[in-house]
Amino acid sequence: APGKRGPRSQPARSASEGIPAARTAAAATASRSLRRAAPAGGPSKGSSRVPRTARSPGTHRVLAVDATLAPRDPRAPGQFGHAVAVPEDKQEEAKSRWKEGNFNVYLSDLIPVDRAVVDTRPAGCSEQRVHNDLPTTTIIMCFVDEVWSTLLRSVHSVLSRSPPHLIEEVILVDDFSAKDYLKEKLDKYMSQFPKVKILHLKERHGLIRARLAGAEIAKGDVLTFLDSHVECNVGWLEPLLERVRRSRTKVACPVIEVISDKDMSYMTVDNFQRGIFTWPMNFGWRQIPQEVIEKNKMKETDIIRCPVMAGGLFSIDKKYFFELGAYDPGLDVWGGENMELSFKVWMCGGEIEIIPCSRVGHIFRNDNPYSFPEDRIRTVERNLARVAEVWLDEYKDLFYGHAYHLILKNLDVGDLTQQIELRKKLQCKSFKWYLENVYPDLEAPLVRASGLLVNTATARCIAVENNTLAFEACDVNNEDQQFNYTWLRLLQHGEACVAPAAAGGAPGLRRCDGRNPRLKWLHMALAPGRPQLTDHVVVEHLAQPACLEADPARGALRVGACDSASPFQKWRFGSYHVD
Ligand code: UD2
Ligand code: MN
């Protein structure tokens, strides 16, 4: 909306150690435009108790529980989510402490652990009604060497802004932190809150298996996962639980707002953002196009269906989570688990939603502040490859194809039998279904090259005429001559694909099917070990290299033994899409 664009966040520092930029949450958020949080919905008027006589039976107005509304010290730095500046004489100290958490740790320690934040919910949220019989939830927060004040602030924000009767417990899973203050000192501090339980893991599990350890002992009906550097906003919990109550296969995510890593201010983000991915499975946020918003008369409070979730913050029915096989426990340390759960949820009958009336701030950092037991890139790529192998079907080629610059080669992804069995048992839909129904607007990269496929020696082009494959004088304006070369290695014209023949035979047309290896062609740099055939169109499934060629005598198409020197085997597309 005009006038709503605020200061942009700093672009993510160009990734150190060659980490692909979009592989940190900070990179994913770098494209969001941020605004300082200012009261949006006006002061909330919701009461803090379930009214005895609700307006319609069984529901009440969403509770505005907020024990920080009258802060102990209204003038403390950072209060109400305001930005804080480092005093001149503390610059050095602040700088040297940055690496403790890869954000301004000095400032975090300066501001109250129970500071108030501005209610950033869109107008209308505080008037919404939720059911009186919402399910209870277990909050699961995993951390490794989290900054003390930040961890405390996360827990305080949960306790002070959630209706107590809905919080079964808060489980802090300490993923084998080395920091001393996260041992007895933390236990002692948290002992003042009977609902907070601490699970000290005896070895490093990584975020994924640490969450599983928390989930296994959870007693609530719903699991609510949070990172350990968040601030939950007013009224954040009930709208999430309301969605899960409505349907147990809904996975509800809050809008993730931004706590500045530099000045600790609480910033809101643009409305109407979905979680999406681009190849090779990088998470990102995308604005819903203005015309879609207008056409559907979308309101700021409307629930947004998401192809994928960011990963860190969501509520899910506990039984449903385990029915889905929870997370693949073969995923290590960090990364990819958000893709796994998102694909699994959608393909196996559930939905992922962002609930605009639920808002949680998160400190986005440019780099993980903890170390990885093994090489970071390898770990993340291996996780993603596991996800690709289990969930992407023939589209895994898009992942590998776009990740060619990464290590992937000779990567041991480990045993996948259980995950593949699980997918069968749950009778999940195909990735093709997911793309067509959940993420139909995934940007172009399905196509690698397009336009006319010109045989350079004869200036003739392939075409589809009356449902048969033809070979005729090229004409850029002829629709029949338009073909795509796809990531699935199909030569495609609408639903029709060029089908190879053995050497000596004539190619034909078949209905496209990305899973059929007998429809595939290698073009561009794809022919493995045969760089001399880059201009060629090579049949993929034959052991003896066979190539598409023009028969100059008859002006016809055929397949012949590949010959890197033959001009009749050289082909060129109108345009190549390199990304
Ligand atoms: C995002 C998600 C994060 C997770 C990750 C991909 C948000 C806001 N954050 O990255 O939740 O889905 O993408 O995997 O959506 N941790 C451990 N053990 C480890 C590593 C991390 O307990 O070995 C904890 C860590 O202390 C933190 C949480 O896991 O509380 C998520 O890690 P992060 O904050 O580094 O991830 P983030 O926000 O960059
Ligand atoms: Mn995080």
Side-chain angles (χ1 to χ4, degrees), residues 142 144 175 204 211 227-229 312 334-335 337 362 365 370:
C142 302
V144 55
D175 190 9
R204 178 84 175 270
R211 279 185 192 161
D227 277 8
S228 50
H229 33 264
W334 183 95
E337 91 295 338
H362 169 259
R365 301 166 301 189
Y370 40 78

Side-chain angles (χ1 to χ4, degrees), residues 349-525:
E351 294 155 285
I352 292 175
E353 301 180 334
I354 287 181
I355 319 300
C357 286
S358 172
R359 309 179 85 88
V360 176
H362 169 259
I363 306 179
F364 288 89
R365 301 166 301 189
N366 278 327
D367 210 343
N368 311 73
Y370 40 78
S371 67
F372 278 58
E374 278 164 57
D375 178 72
R376 185 200 134 122
I377 301 177
R378 251 193 123 69
T379 305
V380 178
E381 299 307 328
R382 180 183 171 279
N383 286 352
L384 290 173
R386 278 185 78 86
V387 177
E389 291 294 336
V390 177
W391 296 99
L392 262 49
D393 303 327
E394 68 272 27
Y395 293 85
K396 70 183 178 194
D397 284 345
L398 271 92
F399 168 68
Y400 290 116
H402 283 85
Y404 60 92
H405 54 294
L406 304 177
I407 36 93
L408 292 168
K409 279 188 208 85
N410 311 320
L411 197 67
D412 175 17
V413 297
D415 184 16
L416 293 170
T417 7
Q418 276 189 10
Q419 301 308 310
I420 292 167
E421 274 306 306
L422 175 80
R423 184 175 162 183
K424 277 206 204 104
K425 193 185 97 199
L426 294 171
Q427 302 187 324
C428 306
K429 298 193 181 80
S430 67
F431 196 73
K432 184 164 193 280
W433 174 90
Y434 168 87
L435 284 183
E436 284 166 0
N437 293 278
V438 182
Y439 194 12
D441 49 328
L442 174 64
E443 285 141 21
L446 285 173
V447 176
R448 299 196 72 175
S450 61
L452 305 187
L453 182 57
V454 184
N455 180 257
T456 39
T458 60
R460 290 174 88 83
C461 285
I462 62 170
V464 173
E465 297 275 4
N466 305 320
N467 288 322
T468 53
L469 186 64
F471 191 45
E472 55 196 31
C474 294
D475 170 9
V476 262
N477 298 317
N478 188 345
E479 271 302 308
D480 299 339
Q481 295 182 4
Q482 303 294 327
F483 279 78
N484 284 333
Y485 180 58
T486 72
W487 274 100
L488 303 182
R489 302 191 297 280
L490 301 175
L491 281 177
Q492 188 166 2
H493 176 89
E495 299 281 285
C497 277
V498 182
L509 276 186
R510 288 268 291 278
R511 202 187 153 74
C512 299
D513 174 6
R515 284 160 307 177
N516 184 354
R518 293 173 172 272
L519 284 181
K520 305 207 175 192
W521 301 88
L522 301 169
H523 182 49
M524 305 163 73

Side-chain angles (χ1 to χ4, degrees), residues 229-245:
H229 33 264
V230 297
E231 288 174 72
C232 300
N233 209 313
V234 182
W236 73 288
L237 184 59
E238 283 180 310
L240 299 177
L241 299 179
E242 177 70 15
R243 296 306 289 174
V244 181
R245 181 194 178 279

Side-chain angles (χ1 to χ4, degrees), residues 172-438:
L172 303 181
V173 187
D174 164 22
D175 190 9
F176 200 52
S177 300
K179 298 269 193 287
D180 264 339
Y181 59 77
L182 295 173
K183 296 171 183 160
E184 292 82 34
K185 186 180 173 197
L186 182 69
D187 295 350
K188 182 147 182 285
Y189 186 90
M190 291 300 166
S191 67
Q192 61 179 308
F193 308 116
K195 284 193 177 167
V196 179
K197 299 168 186 166
I198 306 179
L199 179 60
H200 293 287
L201 298 176
K202 296 282 171 284
E203 56 179 13
R204 178 84 175 270
H205 279 44
L207 139 79
I208 295 131
R209 290 191 291 271
R211 279 185 192 161
L212 291 176
E216 264 146 33
I217 58 167
K219 295 203 178 70
D221 307 319
V222 173
L223 306 174
T224 298
F225 293 99
L226 294 175
D227 277 8
S228 50
H229 33 264
V230 297
E231 288 174 72
C232 300
N233 209 313
V234 182
W236 73 288
L237 184 59
E238 283 180 310
L240 299 177
L241 299 179
E242 177 70 15
R243 296 306 289 174
V244 181
R245 181 194 178 279
R246 172 177 290 216
S247 161
R248 60 189 293 273
T249 61
K250 283 185 188 296
V251 177
C253 309
V255 170
I256 306 181
E257 299 191 292
V258 176
I259 302 168
S260 163
D261 56 344
K262 298 177 189 65
D263 62 22
M264 291 301 287
S265 61
Y266 187 108
M267 289 182 278
T268 189
V269 295
D270 284 346
N271 293 308
F272 304 116
Q273 299 201 33
R274 294 189 310 159
I276 56 104
F277 71 89
T278 52
W279 297 112
M281 277 197 269
N282 286 325
F283 175 81
W285 274 286
R286 280 290 146 68
Q287 196 81 23
I288 298 176
Q290 195 57 36
E291 57 276 17
V292 176
I293 295 170
E294 277 160 23
K295 190 170 139 249
N296 299 316
K297 300 198 170 62
M298 285 181 69
K299 299 191 300 292
E300 290 176 346
T301 50
D302 285 352
I303 276 143
I304 294 170
R305 289 155 62 88
C306 288
V308 291
M309 64 157 94
L313 326 181
F314 62 97
S315 291
I316 187 168
D317 180 274
K318 185 177 68 190
K319 272 175 72 189
Y320 179 57
F321 182 63
F322 284 111
E323 276 165 34
L324 285 176
Y327 287 119
D328 167 8
L331 300 177
D332 276 329
V333 192
W334 183 95
E337 91 295 338
N338 57 328
M339 297 292 155
E340 194 225 0
L341 192 57
S342 302
F343 298 152
K344 180 148 60 179
V345 164
W346 280 114
M347 289 163 64
C348 313
E351 294 155 285
I352 292 175
E353 301 180 334
I354 287 181
I355 319 300
C357 286
S358 172
R359 309 179 85 88
V360 176
H362 169 259
I363 306 179
F364 288 89
R365 301 166 301 189
N366 278 327
D367 210 343
N368 311 73
Y370 40 78
S371 67
F372 278 58
E374 278 164 57
D375 178 72
R376 185 200 134 122
I377 301 177
R378 251 193 123 69
T379 305
V380 178
E381 299 307 328
R382 180 183 171 279
N383 286 352
L384 290 173
R386 278 185 78 86
V387 177
E389 291 294 336
V390 177
W391 296 99
L392 262 49
D393 303 327
E394 68 272 27
Y395 293 85
K396 70 183 178 194
D397 284 345
L398 271 92
F399 168 68
Y400 290 116
H402 283 85
Y404 60 92
H405 54 294
L406 304 177
I407 36 93
L408 292 168
K409 279 188 208 85
N410 311 320
L411 197 67
D412 175 17
V413 297
D415 184 16
L416 293 170
T417 7
Q418 276 189 10
Q419 301 308 310
I420 292 167
E421 274 306 306
L422 175 80
R423 184 175 162 183
K424 277 206 204 104
K425 193 185 97 199
L426 294 171
Q427 302 187 324
C428 306
K429 298 193 181 80
S430 67
F431 196 73
K432 184 164 193 280
W433 174 90
Y434 168 87
L435 284 183
E436 284 166 0
N437 293 278
V438 182

